[in-house]
Each structure stands twice: as structure tokens, then as C-alpha cells.
Amino acid sequence: MAKKVDEIKWHELNIGGVIDEPGSAREYFTGDWRSQRPVWDESRCIKCGVCWMVCPDIAIYQKSDGYFVANYDYSKGCGICAKECPTGAIKMVEEGR
Ligand code: SF4
């Protein structure tokens, strides 16, 4: 079983950041790196799913009402979703605002 990230000391990391234990990605909260977050304006969303499709981290999911949202534990705030949204429904905002 993979160690949790906060149990690993820096000198225990694999050289090059190689992950040799499959299935451990869930333990890495890559959203901690984020400086901006995507915010949805549902009044502009047409539920096309482009944002979900282009997210490189599979951090966007569809809610039961059909609209989309990011899982902020994993969204790194790259902004690809906002760039590709055809209706401008996603804005990138600074973290903490
Ligand atoms: S890409 Fe834009 S319009 Fe399409 S589902 Fe995502 S937020 Fe809505």
C-alpha cells in the first residue's frame, strides 16, 4: 500500500519523481499547487462538456443537474477549461479571492 504524501520525507522520494506504486495518484492533492481556480457561471453554460473533455487532470466532473464543476483537490488551475469553453462560462480567479 502506498504511503500517504505527508508520511514521505523528501529524501525518500524517487529520483525524477517516478511513481512506482500504481493507484497512488489519489493521495496527491495537486490542487495544492494552484494559484488560480476555475469558477463557473452556470447561466452561460450550455452543458457541452468541452471543459470536462479537455481537463488534463480529469479534475472536472458533471453534477446531477448536468452542469460541470472542478474538484479543487486536484485542479491545478491550468486554465485550459476556461480557454476552451465556447461560451465563456468559466473564469479563472486568483486563489483566496
Ligand atoms: S465548456 Fe463551458 S459551456 Fe461547455 S460544459 Fe463546460 S462550462 Fe459549460
Side-chain angles (χ1 to χ4, degrees):
M1 181 164 172
K3 282 184 169 180
K4 292 191 179 287
V5 172
D6 57 359
E7 295 172 344
I8 301 171
K9 306 285 187 246
W10 69 268
H11 54 79
E12 296 174 328
L13 293 172
N14 291 327
I15 294 173
V18 173
I19 297 171
D20 56 8
E21 296 183 63
S24 63
R26 192 169 291 171
E27 302 297 327
Y28 294 87
F29 295 117
T30 49
D32 288 350
W33 310 346
R34 191 178 55 247
S35 62
Q36 294 185 316
R37 67 170 53 210
V39 174
W40 274 254
D41 175 355
E42 293 181 350
S43 70
R44 301 182 72 160
C45 178
I46 57 173
K47 302 179 182 177
C48 66
V50 168
C51 53
W52 168 80
M53 198 165 34
V54 299
C55 178
D57 295 307
I58 316 173
I60 294 173
Y61 63 94
Q62 191 171 28
K63 300 183 295 178
S64 59
D65 62 5
Y67 292 106
F68 291 82
V69 69
N71 179 335
Y72 293 119
D73 283 343
Y74 301 105
S75 168
K76 291 187 290 213
C78 67
I80 294 173
C81 55
K83 177 88 174 163
E84 297 300 324
C85 173
T87 65
I90 305 170
K91 297 282 181 256
M92 299 302 293
V93 299
E94 295 286 322
E95 275 296 335
R97 297 195 179 187

